[in-house]
């Protein structure tokens, strides 16, 4: 394995990403189908900011645990209880409660953990706030998509813009599917993570497209490679850069997700870091295995590149025939004679 990584960094390994496009399309179709099924069957676990509810905050006492706090609130008559650590405090979320129910929970918490009842703060969050955030997020997403389409169409071309947008939608659907199947709570921090991975995924695709534009721009009528081969060559040149960029960005996010949330119980960071982690991994994959193959599929339909592909293929066939013609006499006889010559000599 270290040898493979070392050869990869030296550029000794040439991976045919574009040639395996059907494999990538099949894998992406499978992941998106599973993600959509998760969204349809499970749905997203929307946070209290989106569905409304009551939130309690009080100081953590030594020895208290998440399970104990959840049990205390549940014994007060409520089942949908979410307990999180928020710095030095406990943050308890329930469905929307009436005033007397709020008082009952404050009294139960104060009695159980010795906290003054006045220091068990409560607030009621309506679903309206989350609805407004969702609406603004959808509007922002639509504006972002249109702006990106226009920018890429001007800076590159519409085929690259279309391939990049398809990759972005691909990343969003799979990331949302992970949230649906894992039952992680979707909070405003999650929405921020979703919007962040759009920019990251797009950056990776633009780097690859820029190299493809540079390499394919040198192809003339006498070129010895097709558009597909040139695009694959460009991918090989940017592969290490893409992997290094992704690795450097993913490592701190993974540290926050797997270490920070398990040891420190950072709830808000967990919501944000999961979206970033999944989005970065899927974004790296889509820029190499989804966006570029889609771009090549669209470009190979142009008459210019179709003609070049025919010329290159015809030349390869001609070269192969010439090579076989040279080898046949040698293999037929040790003295460089043909089978017909051998028969005449025997007579």
């Amino acid at each position: 394995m270290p040898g493979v990584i070392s050869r990869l960094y030296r550029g000794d390994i040439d991976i045919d990403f574009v040639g395996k496009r059907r494999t990538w399309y099949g894998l992406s179709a499978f992941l998106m189908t599973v993600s959509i099924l998760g969204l349809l069957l499970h749905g997203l676990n929307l946070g209290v900011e989106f569905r409304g509810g009551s939130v309690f905050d009080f100081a953590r006492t030594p020895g208290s645990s998440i399970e104990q706090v959840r049990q205390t609130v549940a014994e007060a008559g409520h089942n949908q209880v979410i307990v999180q650590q928020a710095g030095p405090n406990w943050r308890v979320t329930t469905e929307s409660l009436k005033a007397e129910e709020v008082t009952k929970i404050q009294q139960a918490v104060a009695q159980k953990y010795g906290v003054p009842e006045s220091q068990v703060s409560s607030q009621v969050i309506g679903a309206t706030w989350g609805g407004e955030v969702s609406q603004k997020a959808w509007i922002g997403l639509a504006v972002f998509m249109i702006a990106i389409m226009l920018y890429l169409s001007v800076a590159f071309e519409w085929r690259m813009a279309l391939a990049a947008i398809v990759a972005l939608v691909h990343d969003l659907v799979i990331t949302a599917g992970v949230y649906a199947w894992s039952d992680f709570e979707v909070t405003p921090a999650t929405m921020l993570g979703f919007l962040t991975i759009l920019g990251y995924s797009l950056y990776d695709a633009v780097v690859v497209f820029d190299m493809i534009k540079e390499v394919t721009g040198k192809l003339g009528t006498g070129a010895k490679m097709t558009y597909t081969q040139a695009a694959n060559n460009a991918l090989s040149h940017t592969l290490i850069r893409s992997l290094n960029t992704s690795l450097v960005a993913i490592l701190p996010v993974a540290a926050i997700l797997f270490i920070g949330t398990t040891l420190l119980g950072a709830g808000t960071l967990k919501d944000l870091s999961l979206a970033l982690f999944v989005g970065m991994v899927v974004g790296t994959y889509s820029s190499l295995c989804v966006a570029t193959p889609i771009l090549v599929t669209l470009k190979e339909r142009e008459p210019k590149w179709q003609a070049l592909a025919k010329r290159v293929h015809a030349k390869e066939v001609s070269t192969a025939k010439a090579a076989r013609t040279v080898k046949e006499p040698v293999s037929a006889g040790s003295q460089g004679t043909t089978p017909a010559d051998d028969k005449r000599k025997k007579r």
Side-chain angles (χ1 to χ4, degrees):
M1 192 65 180
V4 175
I5 295 175
S6 158
R7 290 173 57 201
L8 187 64
Y9 271 79
R10 288 199 308 269
D12 295 340
I13 295 180
D14 190 12
I15 303 175
D16 186 12
F17 285 103
V18 180
K20 294 180 173 59
R21 71 183 80 175
R22 292 186 178 179
T23 302
W24 309 130
Y25 290 163
L27 177 60
S28 293
F30 171 75
L31 293 175
M32 291 190 69
T33 301
V34 172
S35 300
I36 292 172
L37 284 176
L39 292 171
L40 294 176
L41 299 178
H42 278 247
L44 294 173
N45 178 20
L46 298 178
V48 66
E49 294 86 353
F50 295 98
R51 54 182 167 77
S54 298
V55 180
F56 299 86
D57 277 289
F58 56 94
R60 280 190 292 156
T61 54
S64 60
S65 65
I66 290 178
E67 285 302 324
Q68 290 174 340
V69 175
R70 183 183 293 115
Q71 185 179 356
T72 301
V73 178
E75 288 174 351
H78 305 282
N79 296 322
Q80 300 178 2
V81 180
I82 300 173
V83 181
Q84 296 174 306
Q85 294 181 18
N89 293 346
W90 289 115
R91 184 174 188 263
V92 181
T93 306
T94 68
E95 69 270 26
S96 295
L97 303 177
K98 297 178 181 177
E100 58 270 24
E101 294 174 320
V102 171
T103 303
K104 188 176 179 181
I105 289 180
Q106 288 175 319
Q107 291 174 345
V109 169
Q111 183 179 1
K112 178 72 177 180
Y113 300 104
V115 180
E117 188 175 330
S118 59
Q119 294 184 11
V120 181
S121 66
S122 66
Q123 59 177 328
V124 177
I125 300 177
T128 307
W129 186 86
E132 291 177 356
V133 171
S134 300
Q135 184 181 9
K136 291 178 180 178
W138 282 113
I139 293 174
L141 181 62
V143 172
F144 174 81
M145 290 289 187
I146 294 172
I148 288 303
M149 284 286 286
L150 292 174
Y151 168 72
L152 291 180
S153 297
V154 173
F156 296 96
E157 59 173 306
W158 69 266
R159 293 173 185 82
M160 289 186 176
L162 181 60
I165 292 298
V166 171
L168 286 181
V169 174
H170 167 276
D171 299 345
L172 281 179
V173 170
I174 292 178
T175 305
V178 170
Y179 269 85
W181 285 110
S182 65
D183 208 30
F184 267 58
E185 192 175 33
V186 176
T187 64
T190 308
M191 300 295 291
L192 180 62
F194 280 0
L195 295 177
T196 304
I197 63 176
L198 292 178
Y200 180 84
S201 177
L202 185 66
Y203 168 79
D204 226 17
V206 167
V207 169
V208 174
F209 286 170
D210 191 50
M211 180 59 76
I212 291 176
K213 181 182 178 182
E214 181 181 341
V215 172
T216 57
K218 301 174 183 176
L219 296 179
T221 54
K224 297 180 180 179
M225 62 173 65
T226 64
Y227 187 93
T228 299
Q229 294 167 336
N232 210 54
N233 190 27
L235 268 184
S236 299
H237 281 86
T238 57
L239 178 61
I240 296 303
R241 180 178 175 179
S242 297
L243 293 180
N244 282 335
T245 305
S246 303
L247 190 63
V248 169
I250 287 172
L251 281 178
V253 175
I256 293 173
L257 178 62
F258 296 111
I259 299 177
T261 59
T262 54
L263 297 180
L264 304 178
T268 302
L269 287 180
K270 179 187 69 178
D271 303 336
L272 178 61
S273 58
L274 178 64
L276 292 177
F277 180 79
V278 176
M280 286 179 178
V281 173
V282 178
T284 303
Y285 160 77
S286 68
S287 65
L288 298 173
C289 304
V290 177
T292 304
I294 289 176
L295 171 65
V296 171
T297 301
L298 294 174
K299 293 292 289 184
E300 287 289 9
R301 295 181 179 179
E302 292 184 47
K304 173 185 175 183
W305 302 119
Q306 285 182 343
L308 176 61
K310 287 181 181 178
R311 282 197 297 273
V312 172
H313 179 66
K315 193 171 183 179
E316 290 175 349
V317 171
S318 175
T319 304
K321 283 183 178 178
R324 284 198 298 270
T325 304
V326 172
K327 289 180 179 178
E328 279 177 357
V330 177
S331 59
S334 60
Q335 301 300 321
T337 58
T338 64
D341 294 336
D342 292 340
K343 289 181 180 179
R344 284 195 292 272
K345 286 181 180 179
K346 289 180 181 178
R347 289 173 187 169

